[in-house]
Amino acid sequence: MREFSPDGFWWWDGTTWRPSTEIELTPQTEFERSGKLAHARALISRRDNAFAVSYGVGIVPDGVVAPVIDLLAIYMMVVQWRGFKEYRAWTLEQLKVATEELFGPDEPMVAGETALWPPTGLVPGMRRDFAVAVTREHVVLYQFAYADSPTMRVVFAAVASQVRMIQYGGIFKSNLGIICGGRRWDLGGIKRIFNPWPVIAALQSAAAAKIAV
């Protein structure tokens, strides 16, 4: 169990305060051991392969390929949806294990969420850079070095009263703005997969409980 400063950007190593970003965790999950992560990766690979095929088909004269491209687009969206849901399940399990490692079994994660969004560009991708966990007292923001990373770094682990959250979004995307120490991070995801409301509710409960005490 680690002791953090109220703003969450520092932790006490027994002799001195050190930056929270020095803490790296690689939680071992049942999702990985059961082979579910391999399945999630295969889904994203199938999406990428379908994109490559659609790109190749696109050079064929018009009128021949339009129905094929439409079918490939639908296939890509369905496979991506399934893949992102599985990556979310993996990340939530990672958050649960990592947060228990930070605070001990007496302060488990109450709610969590992760960024999962396909960035626009010439090739399909997956943005999975930040994830957040809320306990009964703390909010922890984690960062991944890359989309498929099993290792996460602590950005901050602040008491709930030091953190604000804002939900916003559009037709297809939902976002969660997290503000702490004068800085802001934005997590985004596909609607009906990304769900910020349990995290916001957990933060409100944690902050209210602290005030009541």
Side-chain angles (χ1 to χ4, degrees):
M1 181 174 176
R2 300 177 190 262
E3 178 186 355
F4 291 88
S5 61
D7 65 7
F9 292 104
W10 303 87
W11 69 281
W12 182 252
D13 70 356
T15 58
T16 187
W17 289 100
R18 304 177 65 87
S20 296
T21 51
E22 292 183 356
I23 302 175
E24 285 193 348
L25 304 165
T26 306
Q28 302 300 308
T29 64
E30 182 59 31
F31 196 92
E32 297 166 81
R33 291 189 290 268
S34 66
K36 291 180 180 178
L37 179 57
H39 184 262
R41 286 171 171 161
L43 287 171
I44 299 303
S45 179
R46 285 161 57 186
R47 179 204 64 176
D48 296 346
N49 291 338
F51 176 85
V53 171
S54 67
Y55 185 83
V57 170
I59 65 175
V60 179
D62 291 342
V64 178
V65 299
V68 176
I69 292 178
D70 289 344
L71 288 173
L72 284 171
I74 294 171
Y75 174 79
M76 286 172 57
M77 287 189 291
V78 170
V79 171
Q80 176 175 265
W81 179 277
R82 291 174 56 197
F84 276 27
K85 286 188 70 175
E86 292 189 13
Y87 263 92
R88 179 178 182 270
W90 174 42
T91 307
L92 292 183
E93 188 176 345
Q94 285 184 297
L95 295 178
K96 179 181 178 181
V97 175
T99 302
E100 184 170 318
E101 184 175 337
L102 287 179
F103 298 113
D106 293 334
E107 191 181 343
M109 182 179 81
V110 176
E113 193 51 88
T114 181
L116 272 175
W117 180 252
T120 57
L122 295 177
V123 295
M126 179 174 66
R127 178 189 169 192
R128 177 178 171 265
D129 48 2
F130 292 102
V132 62
V134 181
T135 72
R136 69 171 186 270
E137 295 183 8
H138 292 88
V139 178
V140 188
L141 183 68
Y142 298 95
Q143 183 175 18
F144 298 97
Y146 53 93
D148 199 36
S149 175
T151 300
M152 53 180 65
R153 182 190 300 271
V154 174
V155 179
F156 68 76
V159 294
S161 60
Q162 298 292 314
V163 182
R164 290 198 302 123
M165 293 185 182
I166 304 170
Q167 189 279 334
Y168 64 100
I171 298 175
F172 302 109
K173 187 178 183 181
S174 182
N175 298 279
L176 176 66
I178 300 174
I179 302 166
C180 181
R183 300 171 61 188
R184 174 169 172 162
W185 298 262
D186 291 275
L187 284 64
I190 300 172
K191 282 191 172 180
R192 297 182 63 188
I193 296 179
F194 183 85
N195 183 10
W197 294 112
V199 173
I200 294 173
L203 172 64
Q204 292 171 342
S205 295
K210 194 70 174 179
I211 293 173
V213 172

